[in-house]
Amino acid sequence: MATLETPIPVVDLARVEANLRRMQDYCDAHGLKLRPHIKTHKIVELARRQMALGAVGLTCQKLTEAEVMLERGCDDILISYPMIGAEKARRLAALAPRARITVAADSPLAVETAAAAAREAGTAIGVLVEFDSGMGRTGVTTPEAAAALARQVADTEGLRLAGVMTYPTTEATVTFVAALRPLLEADGLDIPTVSGGGTPGAFRSHELGVADELRVGTYIYNDRNTVISGACTLDDCALHVLATVISTPQPGHFILDCGSKTLTSDLSGEGHPGYGLLIDYPDAVIEKLTEEHGIVRTDPAGPAPMLGEKVWILPNHVCPVSNLHDRVVVRHSDGRTEDWEVSARGCTR
Amino acid sequence: MATLETPIPVVDLARVEANLRRMQDYCDAHGLKLRPHIKTHKIVELARRQMALGAVGLTCQKLTEAEVMLERGCDDILISYPMIGAEKARRLAALAPRARITVAADSPLAVETAAAAAREAGTAIGVLVEFDSGMGRTGVTTPEAAAALARQVADTEGLRLAGVMTYPTTEATVTFVAALRPLLEADGLDIPTVSGGGTPGAFRSHELGVADELRVGTYIYNDRNTVISGACTLDDCALHVLATVISTPQPGHFILDCGSKTLTSDLSGEGHPGYGLLIDYPDAVIEKLTEEHGIVRTDPAGPAPMLGEKVWILPNHVCPVSNLHDRVVVRHSDGRTEDWEVSARGCTR
């Protein structure tokens, strides 16, 4: 590591493999289908490992991510995002004949977009009706609206009603599905899949018992937010940013060569200050970022790194960190390192 | 624009050209050397336009950015960032024979890194001694420390004392340089260049009168923060993100297909809520971002876009937005559009 040029994300492959195995074992033990979200790593090789361990398919957030994964041989992809409009329909139509594709929809217009794609492709496209479990993001907010969309999907040629989805899975998910099920049964429809997600609550999915498919992303690397949530320990965190102290203007004040272009501006919330955790200087606070500078304050009388020292940073939120980097350094358990391409970074469309 | 797939940054070239011309005219009128910072646009074609209008050279923040610009023919580059260590010296040595290179240094170790590069390259490298004008980032904090570094540079074979630099230029810059100048004169050294910067205060540089070189980046596009600072108007903003309304779960609540992967998580400070300004719905607040979702609240009784509508967003801080996108759409004044590559995005090292 001493000769690595900084700043650079470094992935500990042994920890990745332990994290993947733990989640797959959990899903297997509880009869859950695991559909990992590639947004956290965006790396084809890691998606392949998830599939090889037993994942039923992948989750992507955008069409471009799905295109990258599909080109590299993954053949069952959920795009867990409502797509709207003619341009999206055209691109979805190009994907559909090449893999088993499912999309999310939370409006009649999103269903129509999927239907237009299916017509153009001449291939069935699955649709999961998205509902809100309290996050206030996408997703219909009433069981009646979900039932109406499910009927629209079932009545549309070329679409397959794949079930319902939400993020994250909460108590509200249980209530919602319980209210929705009789509405659909009255129409002769069932819910093939209830797809839920979220790393922080993943290992308690069986307690709620409502979802039969688990969409999780962060579990592959974990991050400071996952540690704070109690869902993992620092030793389960598999991606760190290696940075260099490039300036020590005054005691208790040092500058790292990583800023918002490396760590993002995502914070961890009250009680957890700073833009990441300095593993070897946990009392130091990365209190401000500019694009290429991390400005750190620490006790002037306490331990602090020297000018030129390389330090390890655990990101607050690892997924957008992956998005900022074309490559990561992967450290194998035998100490060997290699560069891996983050093929699905920058896929916003 | 109606057929553009979203989300996508769109650059108005007529506004860019007006912004470039205004700043160059200002510098010409006041005898200032303009050295634009490419961090805002990261686009070779725009760097060429800046040079063609009269810029004395470019500013880059990292070696990788300098490599990209140098490979495309720009031959006078300041890397306004202290580099530390053997890996940086090696890469700097590879650049030095190919262009006039200047770097920042705020420690003896940064000067030694530049010296090692100059020795390996067999070419002179310029050094600007960086000092702090109140930002609390990099830069020495006393005139004595600056003078000592200037002497170290002057005494080191292969290094050229290019002067001093700071960011941003403030009243403290005037005081600092006034105290530093006699210290250097006592050693027979002068300050060839005082390099200052910052778009918000750029057009008042002549009032402070201390800097003879102006490093500015944001002025090419401007952004919501620049508008808030009073340095430009909304009509001077040249980059907007085009996004689509993908979900309208409830009145007063809609979701855009752009999140932190498109807009970044940078905020604009108190009194200016949200992660960007919706140009046609200025009372709506982009109150929360996840990676691919922009969650907007607005008056349920007020105007709101329809599902599927495309909307224009002015980013809070445009530089990291450029960094997130491989390409931007450039709109020429005749209405023609084309894609331009953001060649220097992702250059963190």
Side-chain angles (χ1 to χ4, degrees), chain A residues 15-34:
Chain A
R15 289 189 181 186
V16 161
E17 281 167 354
N19 291 340
L20 295 183
R21 169 54 65 197
R22 190 182 312 124
M23 190 64 77
Q24 188 65 56
D25 285 352
Y26 170 78
C27 287
D28 292 347
H30 293 281
L32 289 163
K33 294 175 283 182
L34 177 59

Side-chain angles (χ1 to χ4, degrees), chain B:
Chain B
M1 295 294 113
T3 61
L4 280 181
E5 214 197 324
T6 64
I8 182 79
V10 179
V11 171
D12 181 318
L13 201 56
R15 290 188 180 187
V16 161
E17 281 167 354
N19 292 340
L20 294 184
R21 168 54 64 196
R22 191 183 309 127
M23 190 64 78
Q24 187 65 56
D25 285 351
Y26 170 77
C27 287
D28 292 348
H30 293 282
L32 289 164
K33 294 175 283 183
L34 177 59
R35 185 179 284 279
H37 204 311
I38 63 93
K39 79 193 186 80
T40 304
H41 58 76
K42 308 179 199 296
I43 291 174
V44 173
E45 176 55 34
L46 293 178
R48 288 202 185 111
R49 287 178 188 228
Q50 291 172 314
M51 294 296 291
L53 280 172
V56 297
L58 299 176
T59 307
C60 296
Q61 200 72 340
K62 290 289 183 102
L63 267 162
T64 326
E65 290 177 345
E67 287 164 357
V68 171
M69 290 299 150
L70 194 146
E71 272 162 27
R72 310 305 208 285
C74 296
D75 61 358
D76 185 329
I77 295 177
L78 163 64
I79 305 174
S80 57
Y81 198 84
M83 278 158 285
I84 301 277
E87 304 89 18
K88 300 296 182 197
R90 235 182 332 265
R91 284 177 58 208
L92 188 54
L95 280 188
R98 301 168 57 204
R100 182 180 170 85
I101 299 286
T102 307
V103 302
D106 70 345
S107 67
L109 201 50
V111 175
E112 287 163 26
T113 299
R119 271 197 308 276
E120 187 176 329
T123 314
I125 292 175
V127 176
L128 286 173
V129 173
E130 184 179 5
F131 66 95
D132 182 35
S133 290
M135 195 180 190
R137 201 168 68 173
T138 40
V140 297
T141 55
T142 66
E144 292 71 23
L149 285 181
R151 278 180 220 115
Q152 184 189 352
V153 172
D155 291 346
T156 302
E157 205 184 313
L159 297 185
R160 166 175 53 80
L161 179 60
V164 294
M165 65 162 263
T166 195
Y167 178 88
T169 316
T170 66
E171 292 283 352
T173 313
V174 180
T175 315
F176 195 101
V177 172
L180 174 61
R181 210 176 281 278
L183 297 179
L184 291 181
E185 278 169 5
D187 278 355
L189 297 174
D190 67 348
I191 306 177
T193 292
V194 177
S195 178
T199 288
F203 294 110
R204 296 192 310 272
S205 300
H206 65 289
E207 295 171 18
L208 290 172
V210 61
D212 49 45
E213 176 176 280
L214 185 60
R215 307 188 321 279
V216 277
T218 310
Y219 80 104
I220 189 169
Y221 289 154
N222 295 312
D223 55 20
R224 192 183 183 202
N225 288 341
T226 318
V227 174
I228 291 168
S229 80
C232 76
T233 70
L234 284 175
D235 291 340
D236 301 319
C237 293
L239 183 149
H240 295 83
V241 170
L242 189 66
T244 300
V245 177
I246 53 146
S247 185
T248 53
Q250 294 191 316
H253 179 199
F254 59 92
I255 315 294
L256 301 173
D257 63 352
C258 59
S260 62
K261 269 177 62 181
T262 303
L263 295 173
T264 81
S265 305
D266 283 11
L267 286 164
S268 275
E270 266 182 72
H272 306 283
Y275 292 92
L277 179 70
L278 280 154
I279 293 292
D280 297 314
Y281 302 92
D283 294 330
V285 176
I286 307 174
E287 67 169 20
K288 191 177 166 189
L289 299 181
T290 57
E291 283 147 78
E292 306 284 11
H293 299 78
I295 299 164
V296 189
R297 298 280 171 184
T298 189
D299 179 354
M306 289 191 317
L307 184 62
E309 186 172 326
K310 288 179 179 171
V311 295
W312 294 103
I313 301 162
L314 178 64
N316 288 343
H317 182 194
V318 73
C319 313
V321 172
S322 287
N323 188 55
L324 289 171
H325 298 276
D326 293 339
R327 290 174 174 278
V328 296
V329 170
V330 172
R331 183 160 51 169
H332 293 265
S333 44
D334 61 4
R336 189 168 46 92
T337 62
E338 62 182 318
D339 281 4
W340 281 10
E341 193 188 348
V342 187
S343 305
R345 65 139 290 284
C347 294
T348 49
R349 278 180 273 175

Side-chain angles (χ1 to χ4, degrees), chain A residues 14-68:
Chain A
R15 289 189 181 186
V16 161
E17 281 167 354
N19 291 340
L20 295 183
R21 169 54 65 197
R22 190 182 312 124
M23 190 64 77
Q24 188 65 56
D25 285 352
Y26 170 78
C27 287
D28 292 347
H30 293 281
L32 289 163
K33 294 175 283 182
L34 177 59
R35 186 179 284 277
H37 205 311
I38 63 93
K39 80 191 187 79
T40 305
H41 57 76
K42 308 179 199 297
I43 292 174
V44 173
E45 176 56 35
L46 293 176
R48 288 203 184 108
R49 286 179 190 229
Q50 290 172 315
M51 293 297 291
L53 280 171
V56 297
L58 299 176
T59 307
C60 297
Q61 199 72 340
K62 290 288 182 104
L63 267 162
T64 326
E65 290 178 345
E67 285 164 357
V68 170

Side-chain angles (χ1 to χ4, degrees), chain A residues 17 27 31 46 48 57 96 101 151 158 206 209 269 279 289 301:
Chain A
E17 281 167 354
C27 287
L46 293 176
R48 288 203 184 108
I101 299 287
R151 277 180 221 117
H206 65 287
I279 293 293
L289 298 181

